[in-house]
Amino acid sequence: MKFRSPKMLRTLAAASCVSLMTMGGAAKAADSTQPIVIPLHNWSSQVVMAYVIGGMFESMGSNVEYVPADSQAVYESIRNGDVTISHEVWQSTFGKSFYNAMAKGGVIDAGTHSATTLEEMGVPTWVIEENLCPGLPSWEALKDCPEVFATADSEGKGRWLEGPQSWHGDLMPVRLEALGLADTWTVKFAGGADALWTELASAKKEKRGTIIFNWTPNFTDADGFTFIEFPEYFDGCRKEDGGDGSCGSPKGWLKKAANYKFPKTHPAAYTAFSKLDFTTTQIGEMAALVDIDKMDHKDAAAKWLADNEDVWMPWTQ
Ligand code: TMO
């Protein structure tokens, strides 16, 4: 390279001075003061974890904003930057929306939690212990005992109580058809997650069989909940992926997602978010603080942060 002028020389000298400082670590980029936008969905661990992660970011000096968001549409909102992160991307329910948004450009995979997941129909374990439907948890047992799971509004059919329809649309009605169970079984959608927990409690009190949609990690891991074993999941078995839908849910991953600009605008917060990793036990605890201990989500998060500094503080350093 030829130096053309003294001015150019001075510019180059200044530039190399800056790069030396950067190499020495003295000139870390500061995080933007723009808020990190965290979505709130409609199941307890997700909301508690939102405030746990927000509290972690605030401890690092970041500004945080929380927005209620649809749990499918949120990946498009992350892609276009209206929402910054998603901290519970469940493979079975949201994997497709996550990768669809990623393929359009703007969503990054910010790592995978240690917890593995299952989102599936199942029964409280006492239903199996009391042998209310011999052969459970194999799905084929359902052919012989729909009446055990009939309810006032199920017209004599066995009832599956699904979660809110916003989670996975017609996944379960399609599955009943595909497995040849639709003549004797029907799906009802719960208005919210709380309706699932109310149903578990009342079925136990009345000693009546019940089949609900549930997931792990969740607070129910501790009480005994058994997922029904359906024909094994494989890529392409669902209707939306070209299959007939006669398969169960995947034993899946739990990922973190972020808008592609987040590492650049908030490098320290992004680094902490990428290190952050929750286990099955930790996620179950976050849900239990709300669904068993009846704490408010924010108070539950504050308690979790106070009790677990040794877990999350290292991620911020
Ligand atoms: C997305 N969920 C954990 C409720 O299945």
Side-chain angles (χ1 to χ4, degrees):
M1 189 193 282
K2 266 192 191 161
F3 298 130
R4 295 204 178 103
S5 70
K7 188 174 171 231
M8 179 88 173
L9 271 174
R10 277 197 303 277
T11 310
L12 281 168
S16 65
C17 206
V18 168
S19 69
L20 275 175
M21 277 171 61
T22 309
M23 281 162 62
K28 264 194 201 165
D31 279 23
S32 163
T33 55
Q34 285 295 309
I36 299 167
V37 181
I38 303 178
L40 301 175
H41 301 315
N42 52 357
W43 63 97
S44 301
S45 68
Q46 197 277 343
V47 182
V48 175
M49 200 190 294
Y51 293 123
V52 163
I53 294 173
M56 178 186 80
F57 288 154
E58 281 173 344
S59 82
M60 302 173 73
S62 285
N63 294 311
V64 173
E65 213 173 87
Y66 301 96
V67 290
D70 177 85
S71 54
Q72 293 292 351
V74 74
Y75 298 99
E76 183 62 17
S77 305
I78 294 170
R79 193 181 80 76
N80 66 33
D82 291 341
V83 171
T84 314
I85 62 166
S86 168
H87 49 279
E88 279 193 18
V89 188
W90 293 67
Q91 179 181 350
S92 177
T93 304
F94 309 122
K96 195 166 178 80
S97 298
F98 168 62
Y99 280 122
N100 280 347
M102 186 183 285
K104 289 204 232 161
V107 172
I108 55 177
D109 181 334
T112 305
H113 291 282
S114 293
T116 56
T117 58
L118 181 61
E119 303 169 79
E120 189 58 280
M121 304 307 301
V123 296
T125 301
W126 67 263
V127 166
I128 293 178
E129 288 164 355
E130 299 284 326
N131 209 23
L132 295 191
C133 176
L136 282 181
S138 166
W139 74 273
E140 293 185 88
L142 301 177
K143 292 174 188 168
D144 299 324
C145 56
E147 69 286 350
V148 175
F149 300 94
T151 53
D153 60 351
S154 70
E155 289 148 16
K157 295 184 173 187
R159 181 195 64 167
W160 284 5
L161 185 61
E162 235 289 39
Q165 195 157 12
S166 63
W167 288 345
H168 19 72
D170 64 355
L171 179 74
M172 295 304 175
V174 166
R175 191 189 295 182
L176 275 184
E177 281 285 346
L179 291 172
L181 295 174
D183 289 345
T184 50
W185 289 84
T186 185
V187 172
K188 299 281 171 188
F189 292 94
D194 280 345
L196 302 173
W197 319 141
T198 304
E199 167 63 7
L200 278 184
S202 55
K204 187 169 186 183
K205 206 157 134 202
E206 296 160 22
K207 295 188 163 35
R208 88 185 140 71
T210 189
I211 295 184
I212 67 162
F213 176 74
N214 194 359
W215 54 91
T216 178
N218 199 1
F219 75 93
T220 47
D221 295 338
D223 313 342
F225 188 87
T226 303
F227 293 99
I228 293 170
E229 292 163 6
F230 290 99
E232 204 168 326
Y233 177 87
F234 58 90
D235 282 342
C237 71
R238 287 186 174 171
K239 194 171 135 194
E240 62 191 16
D241 298 319
D244 68 3
S246 64
C247 58
S249 300
K251 294 194 169 61
W253 40 251
L254 187 65
K255 280 185 181 291
K256 298 167 287 174
N259 176 264
Y260 74 114
K261 291 180 181 162
F262 185 40
K264 187 77 179 163
T265 56
H266 299 75
Y270 178 75
T271 302
F273 184 59
S274 81
K275 290 179 181 172
L276 172 149
D277 166 17
F278 292 118
T279 64
T280 296
T281 307
Q282 288 164 340
I283 296 170
E285 278 167 8
M286 291 182 206
L289 289 170
V290 172
D291 291 320
I292 296 182
D293 302 341
K294 307 296 176 198
M295 289 179 82
D296 164 71
H297 297 97
K298 275 191 181 156
D299 293 346
K303 177 173 167 51
W304 198 91
L305 285 167
D307 291 348
N308 292 278
E309 288 187 347
D310 57 324
V311 173
W312 64 268
M313 278 194 175
W315 298 330
T316 69
Q317 285 149 13

